[in-house]
Amino acid sequence: MTVKDKIETVVLWLKESQFAIALTGAGISVESGIPAFRGAQGLWDKYDPSEYATIDAFMRAPYKVWGMLKELYEITLKAEPNPTHKALAELERLGKLKAVITQNVDSLHQKAGSKKVIEFHGTGETLTCILCGAKYRIEEINLEKVPPFCECGGILKPDVVFFGEPIPLHALREAFELSERCDLLLVVGTSAQVYPAADIPRVAKRSGAKVVEINLEPTPLTNTISDIFIEGKAGEILPLILKAYKTQCE
Ligand code: NAD
């Protein structure tokens, strides 16, 4: 099947679908200038996840971990939504996409106009004091000198899920309810190696949904869970799907 044929099939499935959702990962924000964890120029080439991405690492060496967080914030705070975020937002506006479950913490879906976004791994927009639990918004924080401190003297931690931390309960519940309910799942820019997020396509498939995967390279879902795998840049494929869908539906 050519990419064109695959896109035509996805558009047909979108037209037939009553409840389509998307699962997105770090790969969709690469075209906005935010590095992913895995893959070419991924963050893990530079930062060992066991030293930078676990909650134990944060508690043990917050100064060191904040060095990486500062670098990431400097990129994400300036980043703008790209054609993938915009196409998904438009599909929602057209009434076709019911929700986006994202593993990303960069708020770019919301910036693009998506309304129903489940942030499976939390958000970088807010931070919590590890001592007193006080909440801050990122705009209130001076990132010149890290780590940032709470008024009480405690270190602030972004409300993102580090390895070893639980998924926020409301997001977990909602994401799995949506996975069971959807009849079409678009899986975009995720390596599908981080659990329990990687279970979402499996649950959707078991519940009868069609699974479409868009990625630069195959993942553990490809040829097992995915009904169609479209190899390529999400920022090129999603706009093509949107354009073909709109042409056929308008
Ligand atoms: P990942 O880094 O493990 O994998 C990224 C995937 O995206 C890879 O499979 C890669 O082939 C693919 N990819 C890269 N560029 C692409 C493109 N232009 N089009 C399509 N696919 C592309 O990401 P993950 O699966 O989301 O899991 C890692 C964790 O990292 C997530 O929990 C996420 O919270 C976190 N993270 C988030 C951000 C962010 O918020 N933007 C950035 C880095 C990491």
Side-chain angles (χ1 to χ4, degrees):
M1 241 181 165
T2 64
V3 169
K4 192 164 170 278
D5 292 337
K6 289 181 181 178
I7 289 174
E8 269 175 27
T9 307
V10 175
V11 171
L12 180 71
W13 288 353
L14 262 177
K15 280 163 57 186
E16 289 171 355
S17 161
Q18 300 299 312
F19 203 90
I21 65 169
L23 169 68
T24 63
I28 73 155
S29 292
V30 169
E31 291 167 74
S32 290
I34 304 175
F37 278 166
R38 296 173 188 79
Q41 280 135 40
L43 277 176
W44 292 160
D45 290 349
K46 189 166 168 191
Y47 295 108
D48 178 346
S50 63
E51 278 181 50
Y52 287 91
T54 68
I55 189 62
D56 286 351
F58 184 87
M59 297 312 249
R60 214 174 36 238
Y63 283 74
K64 177 173 158 180
V65 173
W66 259 106
M68 175 193 74
L69 292 172
K70 178 179 170 170
E71 190 180 322
L72 267 179
Y73 268 124
E74 278 165 359
I75 301 169
T76 52
L77 292 173
K78 277 192 286 196
E80 292 296 332
N82 65 50
T84 305
H85 301 102
K86 290 178 189 167
L88 291 172
E90 177 73 356
L91 281 171
E92 184 189 36
R93 200 187 62 73
L94 293 169
K96 208 12 82 172
L97 199 69
K98 305 301 181 197
V100 175
I101 304 167
T102 188
Q103 298 165 80
N104 297 346
V105 296
D106 55 26
S107 303
L108 290 182
H109 284 298
Q110 292 91 329
K111 266 197 186 175
S114 286
K115 301 278 182 259
K116 181 80 179 163
V117 182
I118 291 98
E119 294 178 306
F120 202 77
H121 289 158
T123 174
E125 290 281 307
T126 55
L127 303 93
T128 301
C129 171
I130 59 172
L131 278 189
C132 74
K135 287 265 182 202
Y136 292 80
R137 290 202 59 80
I138 188 64
E139 306 85 69
E140 301 172 65
I141 305 299
N142 180 357
L143 289 172
E144 291 289 304
K145 206 164 159 273
V146 293
F149 288 95
C150 176
E151 278 174 12
C152 82
I155 288 175
L156 300 183
K157 179 194 159 293
D159 290 335
V160 302
V161 176
F162 280 66
F163 288 116
E165 283 193 296
I167 305 299
L169 197 58
H170 60 95
L172 187 73
R173 193 175 293 145
E174 202 169 6
F176 280 98
E177 277 171 13
L178 288 165
S179 324
E180 284 176 5
R181 186 172 168 201
C182 70
D183 56 13
L184 179 62
L185 173 67
L186 308 178
V187 182
V188 196
T190 174
S191 63
Q193 290 183 37
V194 179
Y195 285 85
D199 277 328
I200 289 170
R202 292 181 172 81
V203 170
K205 178 86 174 180
R206 209 172 50 219
S207 308
K210 294 194 171 75
V211 177
V212 173
E213 192 184 12
I214 300 162
N215 200 308
L216 289 182
E217 58 190 26
T219 75
L221 303 175
T222 316
N223 297 325
T224 55
I225 300 295
S226 306
D227 295 286
I228 285 192
F229 172 67
I230 308 182
E231 189 167 338
K233 283 189 178 177
E236 291 171 6
I237 308 288
L238 256 302
L240 290 176
I241 292 174
L242 174 67
K243 190 172 164 213
Y245 174 77
K246 283 172 86 172
T247 311
Q248 292 185 31
C249 290
E250 280 173 357

